[in-house]
Amino acid sequence: MAFTNRAGRRLGTWGGGATRRRLAPILWSAAVTASLAVPWWVVLRLELAHAQGSWRFLSLVASTTAASLLVAAVVLPSRLRAITSHLGIERVLRQHRLLAVVAAVLVAAHVAFVVLHDPEGLGVLDLRRAPPRVWAATIATLALAGQVVLAVSRRSRSPHYERWRLAHVVLANVLMATAALHVLWLRDLTAYGPARWWLGALGAVMVAVTVYRWVWRPLRAQRRAYVVGEVRGGPGATLVVLHARGHAGIPFRPGQFAWLKVGTSPFVFEEHPFTIASTATEPWRKEFAVKPLGDFTRVLARLSPGQRVYLDGPHGAFTLDGLRSSAFVFIAGGVGVTPMLSMLRTMAARGDRRPAVLVVAGRTADDLLHRADHEHLDARLDLRVVEVLEEPPEDWRGEVGWLTEAVLRGALPVRRATGRVDYFVCGPGAMVAATVHMLQELEVGPARIHTELFDVV
């Protein structure tokens, strides 16, 4: 599965990639700041021109700001590579949820201000005699409330992920459509020039993002389809190998991921994210280690050679490319080792001899997915491997128990290397949080710790 922290042209040099990763958050912060500031400026000018009272002013500010933040929340997970490849999936999802929560609070404030402004008080919410604009506002508010309930309920992986995702997408579209109708039918903001231009810009962004996400990207995936080359079952995961058909392959950075779709068309709704485990020097070949977690993973395990698979990607900023590192430490929990495998295999293919330590923690030996290439990578890299198992076999010679600070301290002699040492941590959320805390206790700076969580996106 993917980790949330997943032709022919280069994806960036060391310095250029790092520069873009630093610049992208700044540009996105500027866009969010504009979403917060422009509504105040627009409504303030409207209030100065047509004094309507403080409650009316506050209701318009709250609603316009909420609309701006909702558009920003929709843009974030729309798979714009300029965002996903440099902000990283973890930050994208955190900000997506934060923007949606703030927008929901503003919508609730908007409703309260409308009630306080209107002489009828709560009577303005009586749907029995309400005009269409109130009905549209009510449906939009209920859709937003439904989104909040879905977000709260989505706290752990579930076999019903596709149902949850479908409900999330449907409610989002209902919310944005009815909110737009409410604004159009209300006519107070659309009759004012600056507000009309701002709302029109938000609408144009929504249309562009929708076409990009649901039309252009599937068409692009159709032109760059892959076919199944091999499916090999194993005790801990199923290995799925894909080969490019009719093109040179999709370039990617080691550690990134892609959404996979199986079927006759790239427009099918069901898709899941998986980390690419193969070397980035062979874009025509993609390898995925799929852990059995639900219906879709069982579908992948039953694939036959020659079947067509569509990829949407690459995405994610969990990669060593663009870093001026002298050494690396990779810390993985279970299937979280797959992005590390891609990085290590890419280092081996590039002849990169910078020292590296791979720390892999799991419950049983079946979780040690790196072992298929263990000896091969050892011979081509300056690599040390440390394995930790909770339930080891009788002949086990590695660490026993949990991944502790003592284990990490003994596994990190690479910290004495001169220059910058970067640490990559991937696995379940609790494991990632605990590992980051231990690294900080070992005086590793936060700028050198790169994380991704094992979760559905």
Side-chain angles (χ1 to χ4, degrees), residues 26-48:
I26 296 173
L27 295 176
W28 177 249
S29 297
V32 174
T33 301
S35 298
L36 293 170
V38 172
W40 277 91
W41 175 77
V42 168
V43 178
L44 181 60
R45 285 179 59 109
L46 176 61
E47 176 64 19
L48 292 175

Side-chain angles (χ1 to χ4, degrees), residues 202-444:
L202 294 179
V205 169
M206 280 296 304
V207 171
V209 165
T210 300
V211 172
Y212 172 84
R213 169 66 181 88
W214 299 104
V215 179
W216 189 85
R217 292 204 68 88
L219 287 174
R220 192 165 183 253
Q222 189 172 40
R223 294 193 302 268
R224 304 195 299 177
Y226 280 70
V227 295
V228 178
E230 178 187 5
V231 178
R232 186 170 69 245
T238 299
L239 179 69
V240 179
V241 180
L242 307 178
H243 296 284
R245 166 171 287 183
H247 58 95
I250 302 172
F252 67 98
R253 298 172 183 164
Q256 290 188 303
F257 71 92
W259 272 270
L260 270 61
K261 293 184 179 183
V262 178
T264 58
S265 169
F267 289 93
V268 296
F269 183 76
E270 185 173 9
E271 59 180 350
H272 284 262
F274 296 91
T275 299
I276 305 168
S278 50
T279 173
T281 60
E282 300 177 352
W284 57 87
R285 180 183 181 275
K286 298 286 192 295
E287 180 178 316
F288 300 89
V290 180
K291 189 171 183 178
L293 291 174
D295 294 340
F296 191 81
T297 54
R298 285 191 288 270
V299 169
L300 292 180
R302 293 195 297 266
L303 290 174
S304 302
Q307 281 188 260
R308 182 169 293 190
V309 177
Y310 301 99
L311 273 62
D312 185 339
H315 299 285
F318 190 68
T319 178
L320 52 78
D321 280 7
L323 298 176
R324 297 183 181 273
S325 309
S326 301
F328 300 101
V329 176
F330 303 102
I331 307 170
V335 76
V337 76
T338 50
M340 281 70 163
L341 285 177
S342 179
M343 297 184 206
L344 290 170
R345 289 168 175 171
T346 301
M347 290 178 66
R350 293 173 176 171
D352 191 336
R353 298 291 297 180
R354 284 176 289 178
V357 174
L358 173 63
V359 182
V360 184
R363 188 174 61 85
T364 68
D366 291 344
D367 295 324
L368 303 178
L369 305 182
H370 66 287
R371 283 193 163 187
D373 276 1
H374 184 175
E375 296 181 2
H376 175 64
L377 290 174
D378 278 354
R380 302 173 65 188
L381 295 170
D382 183 359
L383 174 66
R384 180 186 173 209
V385 179
V386 177
E387 300 171 337
V388 186
L389 289 183
E390 298 174 35
E391 301 175 12
E394 293 183 0
D395 58 347
W396 180 248
R397 296 184 179 180
E399 300 286 346
V400 178
W402 301 88
L403 181 61
T404 63
E405 186 174 325
V407 172
L408 281 181
R409 184 181 292 107
L412 306 184
V414 73
R415 291 184 63 207
R416 293 194 292 269
T418 58
R420 177 187 175 111
V421 180
D422 280 281
Y423 300 77
F424 291 84
V425 185
C426 187
M431 171 264 174
V432 170
T435 303
V436 169
H437 176 73
M438 288 186 286
L439 288 175
Q440 291 173 343
E441 290 293 315
L442 293 171
E443 300 182 353
V444 177

Side-chain angles (χ1 to χ4, degrees), residues 139 143-144 146-147 150 162-178 214 269:
I139 295 173
L144 182 57
Q147 291 284 51
L150 283 176
E162 282 303 321
R163 299 180 195 172
W164 179 91
R165 179 169 171 261
L166 178 61
H168 184 73
V169 172
V170 169
L171 284 175
N173 282 277
V174 169
L175 165 61
M176 301 309 292
T178 51
W214 299 104
F269 183 76

